[in-house]
Coordinates of all heavy atoms in Angstrom, one line a residue:
M1420 N 68.2 -89.8 113.0 CA 68.8 -89.3 111.8 C 67.7 -88.8 110.9 O 66.6 -89.4 110.8 CB 69.6 -90.4 111.1 CG 70.3 -89.9 109.9 SD 71.0 -91.2 108.9 CE 71.7 -92.2 110.2
L1421 N 67.9 -87.7 110.2 CA 67.0 -87.1 109.3 C 66.6 -88.1 108.2 O 67.5 -88.7 107.5 CB 67.6 -85.9 108.7 CG 66.7 -85.1 107.7 CD1 65.5 -84.4 108.5 CD2 67.5 -84.0 107.0
E1422 N 65.3 -88.3 108.0 CA 64.8 -89.2 106.9 C 64.7 -88.4 105.7 O 63.9 -87.5 105.6 CB 63.4 -89.8 107.4 CG 62.9 -90.7 106.4 CD 61.4 -91.1 106.8 OE1 61.0 -90.9 107.9 OE2 60.7 -91.6 105.9
L1423 N 65.5 -88.7 104.7 CA 65.5 -87.9 103.4 C 64.4 -88.5 102.6 O 64.6 -89.5 101.9 CB 66.9 -88.0 102.8 CG 68.0 -87.4 103.6 CD1 69.4 -87.8 102.9 CD2 67.9 -85.9 103.7
R1424 N 63.2 -88.0 102.6 CA 62.1 -88.6 101.9 C 62.2 -88.3 100.4 O 62.7 -87.3 100.0 CB 60.8 -88.1 102.4 CG 60.6 -88.5 103.9 CD 59.2 -88.1 104.5 NE 59.2 -88.5 105.9 CZ 58.4 -88.1 106.8 NH1 57.4 -87.2 106.4 NH2 58.4 -88.5 108.0
P1425 N 61.8 -89.3 99.6 CA 62.1 -89.2 98.2 C 61.2 -88.2 97.3 O 61.6 -87.9 96.2 CB 61.8 -90.7 97.7 CG 60.8 -91.2 98.7 CD 61.1 -90.5 100.0
T1426 N 60.1 -87.8 97.9 CA 59.2 -87.0 97.0 C 58.5 -86.0 97.9 O 58.5 -86.0 99.1 CB 58.1 -87.8 96.4 OG1 57.3 -88.4 97.4 CG2 58.6 -88.9 95.5
C1427 N 57.9 -85.0 97.2 CA 57.0 -84.0 97.8 C 55.7 -84.7 98.3 O 55.1 -85.4 97.5 CB 56.7 -82.9 96.9 SG 55.4 -81.7 97.5
E1428 N 55.4 -84.4 99.5 CA 54.2 -85.1 100.1 C 52.9 -84.7 99.3 O 52.0 -85.4 99.2 CB 54.1 -84.7 101.6 CG 53.1 -85.6 102.3 CD 53.2 -85.4 103.8 OE1 54.4 -85.5 104.3 OE2 52.2 -85.2 104.5
N1429 N 52.9 -83.4 98.8 CA 51.7 -82.9 98.2 C 51.6 -83.3 96.7 O 50.6 -83.9 96.2 CB 51.5 -81.4 98.3 CG 50.3 -80.9 97.7 OD1 49.2 -81.4 98.0 ND2 50.4 -79.9 96.9
C1430 N 52.6 -83.0 95.9 CA 52.6 -83.2 94.5 C 53.4 -84.4 94.0 O 53.3 -84.7 92.8 CB 53.0 -81.9 93.7 SG 54.7 -81.6 93.8
N1431 N 54.1 -85.0 94.9 CA 54.8 -86.2 94.6 C 56.0 -86.0 93.6 O 56.5 -86.9 93.0 CB 53.9 -87.3 93.9 CG 54.3 -88.7 94.4 OD1 55.0 -88.9 95.4 ND2 53.8 -89.7 93.7
K1432 N 56.4 -84.7 93.5 CA 57.6 -84.4 92.7 C 58.8 -85.1 93.4 O 59.0 -85.1 94.6 CB 57.8 -82.9 92.7 CG 59.0 -82.4 92.0 CD 59.1 -80.9 92.0 CE 60.3 -80.5 91.1 NZ 60.2 -79.1 90.6
A1433 N 59.7 -85.6 92.5 CA 60.9 -86.3 93.1 C 61.9 -85.2 93.7 O 62.1 -84.2 93.2 CB 61.7 -86.9 91.9
L1434 N 62.3 -85.6 94.9 CA 63.2 -84.7 95.7 C 64.4 -85.5 96.1 O 64.5 -86.0 97.2 CB 62.5 -84.1 96.9 CG 61.3 -83.2 96.6 CD1 60.6 -82.8 97.9 CD2 61.8 -81.9 95.9
P1435 N 65.4 -85.7 95.2 CA 66.6 -86.5 95.5 C 67.4 -85.8 96.6 O 67.1 -84.6 97.0 CB 67.3 -86.5 94.2 CG 66.8 -85.4 93.4 CD 65.4 -85.2 93.8
P1436 N 68.3 -86.6 97.3 CA 69.0 -86.1 98.4 C 69.7 -84.8 98.2 O 70.0 -84.0 99.1 CB 70.0 -87.2 98.8 CG 69.5 -88.4 98.0 CD 68.6 -88.0 97.0
N1437 N 70.1 -84.5 96.9 CA 70.8 -83.3 96.6 C 69.9 -82.2 96.1 O 70.4 -81.2 95.6 CB 72.0 -83.6 95.6 CG 71.4 -84.0 94.3 OD1 70.2 -84.3 94.1 ND2 72.3 -84.1 93.3
S1438 N 68.6 -82.4 96.2 CA 67.7 -81.4 95.7 C 67.7 -80.1 96.5 O 67.7 -80.2 97.8 CB 66.3 -81.9 95.7 OG 65.3 -80.9 95.5
D1439 N 67.8 -78.9 95.9 CA 67.7 -77.7 96.7 C 66.3 -77.2 96.7 O 66.0 -76.1 97.1 CB 68.7 -76.6 96.1 CG 68.4 -76.4 94.6 OD1 67.4 -76.8 94.1 OD2 69.3 -75.7 94.0
E1440 N 65.4 -78.0 96.3 CA 63.9 -77.7 96.3 C 63.2 -78.3 97.6 O 62.1 -77.9 97.9 CB 63.2 -78.2 95.1 CG 63.4 -77.3 93.9 CD 62.1 -77.5 93.1 OE1 61.0 -77.1 93.6 OE2 62.2 -77.9 91.9
A1441 N 63.9 -79.2 98.2 CA 63.2 -79.9 99.3 C 63.2 -79.1 100.6 O 64.2 -78.4 100.9 CB 64.0 -81.2 99.6
H1442 N 62.0 -79.0 101.2 CA 61.8 -78.3 102.4 C 61.2 -79.2 103.4 O 60.4 -80.1 103.1 CB 60.9 -77.1 102.2 CG 61.6 -76.0 101.5 ND1 61.9 -76.1 100.1 CD2 62.0 -74.7 101.9 CE1 62.5 -75.0 99.8 NE2 62.6 -74.1 100.8
I1443 N 61.6 -79.1 104.7 CA 61.0 -80.0 105.7 C 60.5 -79.1 106.9 O 61.0 -78.0 107.2 CB 62.1 -80.9 106.3 CG1 63.4 -80.2 106.7 CG2 62.4 -82.0 105.2 CD1 64.4 -81.1 107.4
C1444 N 59.5 -79.7 107.6 CA 59.1 -79.2 108.9 C 59.9 -79.9 110.0 O 60.7 -80.8 109.7 CB 57.6 -79.3 109.1 SG 57.1 -80.9 109.7
S1445 N 59.7 -79.6 111.3 CA 60.5 -80.2 112.3 C 60.2 -81.7 112.5 O 60.9 -82.4 113.1 CB 60.2 -79.5 113.7 OG 59.0 -79.9 114.2
Y1446 N 59.0 -82.2 111.9 CA 58.7 -83.6 111.9 C 59.1 -84.3 110.6 O 58.7 -85.4 110.3 CB 57.2 -83.8 112.1 CG 56.8 -83.4 113.5 CD1 56.1 -82.2 113.8 CD2 57.0 -84.3 114.5 CE1 55.7 -81.9 115.1 CE2 56.6 -84.0 115.8 CZ 56.0 -82.8 116.1 OH 55.6 -82.5 117.4
E1447 N 59.9 -83.5 109.8 CA 60.4 -84.1 108.5 C 59.3 -84.2 107.4 O 59.5 -85.0 106.5 CB 61.2 -85.4 108.7 CG 62.3 -85.3 109.8 CD 63.0 -86.6 110.0 OE1 63.1 -87.4 109.2 OE2 63.5 -86.7 111.2
C1448 N 58.2 -83.6 107.6 CA 57.2 -83.6 106.5 C 57.9 -82.8 105.4 O 58.5 -81.8 105.6 CB 55.9 -82.8 106.9 SG 55.2 -83.4 108.4
T1449 N 57.9 -83.4 104.2 CA 58.7 -82.9 103.1 C 57.9 -82.4 101.9 O 57.0 -83.1 101.4 CB 59.7 -84.1 102.6 OG1 60.4 -84.6 103.8 CG2 60.6 -83.6 101.6
F1450 N 58.2 -81.2 101.5 CA 57.5 -80.6 100.4 C 58.5 -79.8 99.5 O 59.5 -79.4 99.9 CB 56.4 -79.6 100.9 CG 55.3 -80.2 101.7 CD1 55.4 -80.5 103.1 CD2 54.2 -80.6 101.1 CE1 54.4 -81.1 103.8 CE2 53.1 -81.3 101.8 CZ 53.3 -81.5 103.1
C1451 N 58.0 -79.7 98.2 CA 58.9 -78.9 97.2 C 58.7 -77.4 97.4 O 57.7 -77.0 98.1 CB 58.6 -79.4 95.8 SG 57.0 -78.8 95.2
T1452 N 59.5 -76.6 96.8 CA 59.4 -75.2 96.9 C 58.0 -74.6 96.6 O 57.5 -73.8 97.3 CB 60.5 -74.5 96.0 OG1 61.8 -75.1 96.3 CG2 60.5 -73.0 96.3
A1453 N 57.5 -75.1 95.4 CA 56.2 -74.6 94.9 C 55.1 -74.9 95.9 O 54.3 -74.0 96.2 CB 55.9 -75.2 93.6
C1454 N 55.2 -76.1 96.5 CA 54.1 -76.5 97.5 C 54.2 -75.7 98.8 O 53.2 -75.3 99.4 CB 54.1 -78.0 97.7 SG 53.5 -78.8 96.2
V1455 N 55.5 -75.5 99.2 CA 55.7 -74.7 100.4 C 55.1 -73.3 100.3 O 54.4 -72.7 101.2 CB 57.2 -74.6 100.8 CG1 57.4 -73.5 101.8 CG2 57.7 -75.9 101.3
E1456 N 55.3 -72.7 99.1 CA 54.7 -71.4 98.8 C 53.2 -71.5 98.8 O 52.5 -70.7 99.4 CB 55.1 -70.9 97.4 CG 56.5 -70.2 97.6 CD 57.1 -69.8 96.2 OE1 56.4 -69.6 95.3 OE2 58.4 -69.8 96.2
M1457 N 52.6 -72.5 98.2 CA 51.2 -72.7 98.1 C 50.6 -72.9 99.5 O 49.5 -72.4 99.9 CB 50.9 -73.9 97.2 CG 49.4 -74.2 96.9 SD 48.7 -75.3 98.2 CE 49.4 -76.9 97.9
L1458 N 51.4 -73.5 100.4 CA 50.9 -73.8 101.8 C 51.2 -72.6 102.7 O 50.9 -72.7 103.9 CB 51.7 -75.0 102.3 CG 51.4 -76.4 101.6 CD1 52.4 -77.4 102.1 CD2 50.0 -76.8 101.9
E1459 N 51.7 -71.5 102.1 CA 52.1 -70.3 102.9 C 53.0 -70.6 104.0 O 52.9 -70.0 105.1 CB 50.8 -69.7 103.4 CG 49.8 -69.2 102.3 CD 48.6 -68.5 102.8 OE1 48.8 -67.4 103.4 OE2 47.5 -69.0 102.6
N1460 N 53.9 -71.5 103.8 CA 54.9 -71.9 104.8 C 54.3 -72.4 106.1 O 54.9 -72.3 107.2 CB 55.9 -70.8 105.1 CG 57.2 -71.2 105.7 OD1 57.7 -72.3 105.4 ND2 57.8 -70.4 106.6
V1461 N 53.1 -73.1 106.0 CA 52.5 -73.7 107.1 C 52.4 -75.2 106.8 O 51.8 -75.6 105.8 CB 51.1 -73.1 107.4 CG1 50.4 -73.9 108.5 CG2 51.2 -71.6 107.8
C1462 N 53.0 -76.0 107.7 CA 52.9 -77.5 107.4 C 51.4 -77.9 107.7 O 50.8 -77.6 108.7 CB 53.8 -78.2 108.4 SG 53.6 -80.0 108.3
P1463 N 50.8 -78.6 106.7 CA 49.4 -79.1 106.8 C 49.3 -80.1 107.9 O 48.1 -80.4 108.3 CB 49.1 -79.6 105.4 CG 50.4 -80.0 104.8 CD 51.4 -79.1 105.4
N1464 N 50.3 -80.8 108.3 CA 50.2 -81.9 109.3 C 50.4 -81.4 110.7 O 49.8 -81.9 111.7 CB 51.2 -82.9 109.0 CG 51.1 -83.5 107.6 OD1 50.0 -83.7 107.1 ND2 52.2 -83.6 106.9
C1465 N 51.3 -80.4 110.9 CA 51.6 -80.0 112.3 C 51.4 -78.5 112.6 O 51.4 -78.0 113.7 CB 53.0 -80.4 112.7 SG 54.3 -79.5 111.9
G1466 N 51.3 -77.7 111.5 CA 51.1 -76.2 111.6 C 52.4 -75.5 111.8 O 52.4 -74.3 112.0
G1467 N 53.5 -76.2 111.8 CA 54.8 -75.5 112.0 C 55.3 -75.0 110.6 O 54.6 -75.2 109.6
G1468 N 56.4 -74.3 110.6 CA 57.0 -73.8 109.4 C 58.0 -74.7 108.8 O 58.3 -75.8 109.3
F1469 N 58.5 -74.3 107.6 CA 59.4 -75.2 106.9 C 60.8 -74.5 106.8 O 60.9 -73.3 106.9 CB 59.0 -75.4 105.4 CG 57.7 -76.2 105.3 CD1 56.5 -75.6 105.1 CD2 57.8 -77.6 105.4 CE1 55.3 -76.4 105.0 CE2 56.7 -78.4 105.3 CZ 55.4 -77.8 105.1
T1470 N 61.8 -75.3 106.6 CA 63.2 -74.8 106.4 C 63.8 -75.7 105.3 O 63.4 -76.8 105.0 CB 63.9 -74.9 107.7 OG1 65.1 -74.2 107.6 CG2 64.2 -76.4 108.1
P1471 N 64.7 -75.1 104.5 CA 65.4 -75.9 103.4 C 66.0 -77.2 104.0 O 66.6 -77.1 105.1 CB 66.4 -75.0 102.8 CG 66.0 -73.6 103.2 CD 65.3 -73.7 104.5
R1472 N 65.9 -78.3 103.3 CA 66.4 -79.5 103.8 C 67.9 -79.6 103.5 O 68.3 -79.4 102.4 CB 65.8 -80.7 103.2 CG 66.2 -82.1 103.7 CD 65.5 -83.2 103.1 NE 65.9 -83.4 101.7 CZ 65.3 -84.3 100.8 NH1 64.3 -85.0 101.3 NH2 65.7 -84.4 99.6
P1473 N 68.8 -79.8 104.5 CA 70.2 -79.9 104.2 C 70.5 -81.1 103.3 O 69.8 -82.1 103.3 CB 70.8 -80.2 105.6 CG 69.7 -80.0 106.6 CD 68.4 -80.2 105.9
I1474 N 71.6 -80.9 102.6 CA 72.0 -81.9 101.6 C 73.0 -82.9 102.3 O 74.0 -82.4 102.9 CB 72.6 -81.3 100.4 CG1 71.5 -80.6 99.6 CG2 73.4 -82.3 99.5 CD1 72.0 -79.7 98.5
R1475 N 72.7 -84.2 102.3 CA 73.7 -85.1 102.8 C 74.7 -85.5 101.8 O 74.4 -85.8 100.6 CB 72.9 -86.4 103.3 CG 73.8 -87.5 103.9 CD 73.0 -88.6 104.5 NE 72.0 -88.1 105.5 CZ 70.9 -88.8 105.9 NH1 70.7 -90.0 105.5 NH2 70.1 -88.2 106.8
P1476 N 76.0 -85.4 102.1 CA 77.1 -85.6 101.1 C 77.0 -87.0 100.5 O 76.7 -88.0 101.1 CB 78.4 -85.5 101.9 CG 78.0 -84.7 103.2 CD 76.6 -85.1 103.5
A1477 N 77.2 -87.0 99.2 CA 77.3 -88.3 98.4 C 78.7 -88.9 98.5 O 78.9 -90.0 98.2 CB 76.9 -88.0 97.0
T1478 N 79.6 -88.1 99.0 CA 81.0 -88.5 99.1 C 81.4 -88.7 100.6 O 80.9 -88.0 101.4 CB 81.9 -87.4 98.5 OG1 81.5 -87.1 97.2 CG2 83.4 -87.7 98.6
N1479 N 82.2 -89.7 100.8 CA 82.6 -90.0 102.2 C 83.8 -89.1 102.6 O 84.9 -89.5 102.6 CB 83.0 -91.5 102.2 CG 83.4 -91.9 103.7 OD1 83.2 -91.2 104.6 ND2 83.8 -93.2 103.8
W1480 N 83.4 -87.9 102.9 CA 84.4 -86.9 103.3 C 85.0 -87.2 104.6 O 86.2 -87.0 104.9 CB 83.8 -85.5 103.3 CG 83.2 -85.0 102.1 CD1 81.9 -84.7 101.8 CD2 83.9 -84.7 100.8 NE1 81.8 -84.3 100.5 CE2 83.0 -84.3 99.9 CE3 85.3 -84.8 100.4 CZ2 83.3 -83.9 98.6 CZ3 85.6 -84.5 99.1 CH2 84.6 -84.0 98.2
K1481 N 84.2 -87.8 105.5 CA 84.7 -87.9 106.9 C 83.9 -89.0 107.6 O 82.6 -88.9 107.7 CB 84.6 -86.6 107.6 CG 85.5 -86.5 108.8 CD 85.5 -85.1 109.4 CE 86.4 -85.1 110.6 NZ 86.4 -83.9 111.4
G1482 N 84.6 -90.0 108.1 CA 83.9 -90.9 109.1 C 82.7 -91.7 108.7 O 81.8 -92.0 109.5
D1483 N 82.6 -92.0 107.4 CA 81.5 -92.8 106.9 C 80.1 -92.1 107.0 O 79.1 -92.7 107.1 CB 81.4 -94.2 107.5 CG 82.4 -95.1 106.9 OD1 82.9 -94.9 105.8 OD2 82.6 -96.2 107.5
N1484 N 80.2 -90.8 107.2 CA 78.9 -90.0 107.3 C 78.5 -89.5 105.9 O 78.8 -88.4 105.5 CB 79.1 -88.8 108.3 CG 79.4 -89.3 109.7 OD1 78.6 -90.2 110.2 ND2 80.4 -88.9 110.3
F1485 N 77.9 -90.3 105.1 CA 77.5 -90.0 103.8 C 76.4 -90.9 103.2 O 76.0 -91.8 103.9 CB 78.8 -90.0 102.9 CG 79.3 -91.4 102.5 CD1 79.3 -91.7 101.1 CD2 79.6 -92.3 103.4 CE1 79.7 -93.0 100.7 CE2 80.0 -93.6 103.0 CZ 80.1 -93.9 101.7
L1486 N 75.9 -90.5 102.1 CA 74.8 -91.3 101.5 C 75.0 -92.7 101.3 O 74.1 -93.6 101.4 CB 74.4 -90.6 100.2 CG 73.4 -89.4 100.2 CD1 73.2 -88.9 98.8 CD2 72.1 -89.8 100.8
G1487 N 76.3 -93.1 101.0 CA 76.6 -94.5 100.7 C 76.3 -95.4 101.9 O 75.9 -96.5 101.8
K1488 N 76.5 -94.8 103.1 CA 76.3 -95.6 104.3 C 74.8 -95.3 104.8 O 74.2 -96.2 105.4 CB 77.3 -95.2 105.4 CG 77.1 -96.1 106.6 CD 78.3 -95.9 107.6 CE 77.9 -96.2 109.0 NZ 77.2 -95.1 109.6
D1489 N 74.4 -94.1 104.7 CA 73.1 -93.7 105.2 C 72.2 -93.2 104.0 O 72.0 -92.0 103.9 CB 73.2 -92.6 106.3 CG 74.0 -93.1 107.4 OD1 73.8 -94.2 107.9 OD2 74.9 -92.4 107.9
P1490 N 71.7 -94.1 103.2 CA 71.0 -93.7 102.0 C 69.7 -93.0 102.3 O 69.1 -93.1 103.4 CB 70.8 -95.0 101.2 CG 70.9 -96.1 102.3 CD 71.8 -95.6 103.4
A1491 N 69.2 -92.3 101.3 CA 67.9 -91.6 101.5 C 66.8 -92.6 101.6 O 66.9 -93.7 101.1 CB 67.7 -90.7 100.2
S1492 N 65.7 -92.2 102.2 CA 64.5 -93.1 102.3 C 63.9 -93.3 100.9 O 64.0 -92.5 100.1 CB 63.5 -92.4 103.2 OG 62.2 -93.1 103.1
T1493 N 63.3 -94.5 100.7 CA 62.6 -94.7 99.5 C 61.1 -94.8 99.7 O 60.4 -95.2 98.8 CB 63.1 -96.1 98.8 OG1 63.0 -97.1 99.8 CG2 64.6 -95.9 98.4
R1494 N 60.7 -94.6 101.0 CA 59.3 -94.7 101.3 C 58.5 -93.5 100.9 O 58.7 -92.4 101.5 CB 59.1 -95.0 102.8 CG 58.5 -96.3 103.1 CD 58.3 -96.6 104.5 NE 59.3 -96.2 105.4 CZ 59.1 -95.5 106.5 NH1 57.9 -95.2 106.9 NH2 60.1 -95.1 107.2
V1495 N 57.7 -93.5 99.9 CA 57.0 -92.4 99.4 C 55.8 -92.1 100.3 O 55.1 -93.0 100.7 CB 56.5 -92.6 98.0 CG1 55.5 -91.5 97.5 CG2 57.7 -92.7 97.0
K1496 N 55.7 -90.8 100.7 CA 54.6 -90.4 101.5 C 53.8 -89.4 100.7 O 54.2 -88.2 100.5 CB 55.1 -89.7 102.8 CG 54.3 -90.1 104.0 CD 54.9 -89.5 105.3 CE 54.5 -90.4 106.5 NZ 54.7 -89.8 107.7
H1497 N 52.8 -89.8 100.0 CA 52.0 -89.0 99.1 C 50.6 -88.7 99.7 O 49.8 -89.6 99.6 CB 51.9 -89.6 97.7 CG 51.3 -88.7 96.7 ND1 50.7 -89.1 95.6 CD2 51.3 -87.3 96.6 CE1 50.2 -88.1 94.9 NE2 50.6 -87.0 95.5
R1498 N 50.5 -87.6 100.3 CA 49.2 -87.2 100.9 C 48.8 -85.8 100.4 O 49.1 -84.8 101.1 CB 49.3 -87.2 102.5 CG 49.5 -88.6 103.1 CD 49.5 -88.5 104.6 NE 50.6 -87.8 105.1 CZ 50.9 -87.8 106.4 NH1 50.2 -88.4 107.3 NH2 52.0 -87.1 106.8
P1499 N 48.1 -85.7 99.3 CA 47.8 -84.4 98.7 C 47.0 -83.6 99.7 O 46.1 -84.1 100.4 CB 47.0 -84.8 97.5 CG 47.4 -86.2 97.1 CD 47.7 -86.8 98.4
V1500 N 47.3 -82.3 99.7 CA 46.7 -81.4 100.7 C 45.4 -80.9 100.1 O 45.3 -80.5 98.9 CB 47.6 -80.3 101.0 CG1 47.0 -79.2 101.9 CG2 48.9 -80.8 101.6
D1501 N 44.3 -80.8 100.9 CA 43.1 -80.1 100.5 C 43.3 -78.6 100.6 O 43.4 -78.0 101.7 CB 42.0 -80.6 101.5 CG 40.6 -79.9 101.2 OD1 40.6 -78.8 100.6 OD2 39.6 -80.4 101.6
G1502 N 43.5 -78.0 99.4 CA 43.9 -76.6 99.4 C 43.0 -75.6 100.2 O 43.4 -74.8 100.9
E1503 N 41.7 -75.8 100.0 CA 40.7 -74.9 100.7 C 40.8 -75.1 102.2 O 40.8 -74.1 102.9 CB 39.3 -75.2 100.2 CG 39.0 -74.4 98.9 CD 37.6 -74.7 98.4 OE1 36.7 -74.8 99.2 OE2 37.5 -74.8 97.2
A1504 N 40.8 -76.3 102.6 CA 40.8 -76.5 104.1 C 42.1 -76.0 104.6 O 42.2 -75.4 105.7 CB 40.7 -78.0 104.4
H1505 N 43.2 -76.2 103.9 CA 44.5 -75.7 104.4 C 44.6 -74.2 104.4 O 45.1 -73.6 105.4 CB 45.7 -76.2 103.5 CG 47.0 -75.8 104.0 ND1 47.5 -76.3 105.2 CD2 47.8 -74.7 103.7 CE1 48.7 -75.7 105.4 NE2 48.9 -74.7 104.6
A1506 N 44.0 -73.5 103.4 CA 44.0 -72.1 103.5 C 43.3 -71.5 104.7 O 43.8 -70.6 105.4 CB 43.3 -71.5 102.2
R1507 N 42.2 -72.2 105.1 CA 41.5 -71.8 106.4 C 42.4 -72.0 107.6 O 42.5 -71.2 108.5 CB 40.2 -72.5 106.5 CG 39.0 -72.0 105.6 CD 37.7 -72.6 106.0 NE 37.6 -74.0 105.9 CZ 37.3 -74.7 104.8 NH1 37.0 -74.0 103.7 NH2 37.3 -76.0 104.8
F1508 N 43.0 -73.2 107.6 CA 43.9 -73.6 108.7 C 45.0 -72.6 108.8 O 45.4 -72.1 109.9 CB 44.5 -75.0 108.4 CG 45.5 -75.5 109.4 CD1 45.1 -75.6 110.7 CD2 46.7 -76.0 108.9 CE1 46.0 -76.1 111.6 CE2 47.6 -76.5 109.9 CZ 47.3 -76.6 111.2
A1509 N 45.6 -72.2 107.7 CA 46.8 -71.3 107.7 C 46.3 -69.9 108.2 O 47.0 -69.2 109.0 CB 47.4 -71.1 106.3
V1510 N 45.2 -69.4 107.8 CA 44.7 -68.1 108.2 C 44.4 -68.1 109.7 O 44.9 -67.2 110.4 CB 43.3 -67.8 107.5 CG1 42.7 -66.6 108.1 CG2 43.7 -67.4 106.0
D1511 N 43.8 -69.2 110.2 CA 43.5 -69.3 111.6 C 44.8 -69.3 112.4 O 44.9 -68.6 113.4 CB 42.8 -70.6 112.0 CG 41.3 -70.6 111.5 OD1 40.9 -69.5 111.1 OD2 40.7 -71.7 111.5
L1512 N 45.8 -70.0 112.0 CA 47.1 -70.1 112.7 C 47.8 -68.8 112.7 O 48.4 -68.4 113.7 CB 48.0 -71.1 111.9 CG 48.1 -72.5 112.5 CD1 49.0 -73.3 111.6 CD2 48.6 -72.5 113.9
K1513 N 47.6 -68.0 111.6 CA 48.4 -66.7 111.6 C 47.7 -65.7 112.5 O 48.3 -64.6 112.8 CB 48.5 -66.2 110.1 CG 49.6 -67.0 109.5 CD 49.8 -66.8 108.0 CE 50.9 -67.7 107.6 NZ 51.2 -67.6 106.2
L1514 N 46.6 -66.0 113.0 CA 45.9 -65.0 113.9 C 46.4 -65.3 115.4 O 46.2 -64.4 116.2 CB 44.4 -65.2 113.9 CG 43.7 -64.9 112.6 CD1 42.3 -65.2 112.6 CD2 43.9 -63.4 112.2
I1515 N 47.1 -66.4 115.6 CA 47.6 -66.7 116.9 C 49.0 -66.2 117.0 O 49.8 -66.5 116.2 CB 47.5 -68.3 117.1 CG1 46.1 -68.8 116.9 CG2 48.1 -68.7 118.5 CD1 46.0 -70.3 116.8
P1516 N 49.3 -65.5 118.1 CA 50.7 -65.0 118.3 C 51.7 -66.1 118.3 O 51.4 -67.2 118.8 CB 50.7 -64.3 119.6 CG 49.2 -64.1 120.0 CD 48.4 -65.1 119.2
T1517 N 52.8 -65.9 117.7 CA 53.9 -66.9 117.6 C 54.2 -67.6 118.9 O 54.4 -68.8 118.9 CB 55.2 -66.3 117.0 OG1 54.8 -65.5 115.9 CG2 56.1 -67.3 116.5
N1518 N 54.3 -66.8 120.0 CA 54.7 -67.4 121.2 C 53.6 -68.2 121.9 O 53.9 -68.8 123.0 CB 55.2 -66.3 122.2 CG 54.2 -65.3 122.5 OD1 53.0 -65.5 122.2 ND2 54.5 -64.2 123.2
A1519 N 52.4 -68.2 121.4 CA 51.3 -69.0 122.0 C 51.0 -70.3 121.2 O 50.2 -71.0 121.5 CB 50.1 -68.1 122.0
R1520 N 51.8 -70.5 120.1 CA 51.5 -71.7 119.3 C 52.1 -73.0 119.9 O 53.1 -72.9 120.5 CB 52.1 -71.5 117.9 CG 51.3 -70.6 117.0 CD 51.9 -70.4 115.7 NE 51.5 -69.1 115.1 CZ 52.0 -68.6 114.0 NH1 53.1 -69.1 113.5 NH2 51.6 -67.4 113.5
Ligands
ZN858 ZN1 55.3 -80.3 95.7
ZN859 ZN1 54.8 -80.9 110.0

């Protein structure tokens, strides 16, 4: 199940489960909109891209599939990114064709 992390990994901004600012990579690395832009949509941990994080319903619409039963994670992952090193990483990655990554 998707781990809804509580904050942006870079700037530690709060990203509640209903935030439309939360973005995740395929490994669930979680960043806010501003940081995703700063990172040029390249995850600093895996080099993959980001997608908006889906919102888990707060209401039990169907079959107990909601926040009340599956609450968001409270484990903060705060690992600020080294901007300069990341910029080099992002440039290098963009030189590699998409199908070879
Ligand atoms: Zn951020
Ligand atoms: Zn990642």
Side-chain angles (χ1 to χ4, degrees):
M1420 186 192 311
L1421 184 68
E1422 183 186 342
L1423 301 169
R1424 295 184 184 163
T1426 62
C1427 170
E1428 192 168 312
N1429 182 52
C1430 71
N1431 216 17
K1432 179 179 185 158
L1434 296 171
N1437 64 349
S1438 170
D1439 56 11
E1440 276 213 61
H1442 288 69
I1443 53 172
C1444 81
S1445 77
Y1446 290 102
E1447 305 177 31
C1448 307
T1449 306
F1450 293 88
C1451 72
T1452 306
C1454 289
V1455 165
E1456 275 170 30
M1457 186 272 288
L1458 296 168
E1459 299 185 60
N1460 199 32
V1461 173
C1462 174
N1464 304 315
C1465 70
F1469 293 101
T1470 192
R1472 187 178 70 187
I1474 291 170
R1475 184 171 301 163
T1478 301
N1479 186 4
W1480 300 115
K1481 201 172 180 187
D1483 280 344
N1484 297 307
F1485 76 120
L1486 276 176
K1488 183 168 157 285
D1489 300 314
S1492 166
T1493 53
R1494 241 181 324 132
V1495 172
K1496 224 177 203 192
H1497 187 208
R1498 291 185 292 189
V1500 177
D1501 177 338
E1503 272 177 40
H1505 182 74
R1507 282 193 300 274
F1508 178 54
V1510 166
D1511 288 350
L1512 261 179
K1513 282 177 181 174
L1514 296 174
I1515 301 168
T1517 314
N1518 62 7
R1520 284 179 202 166

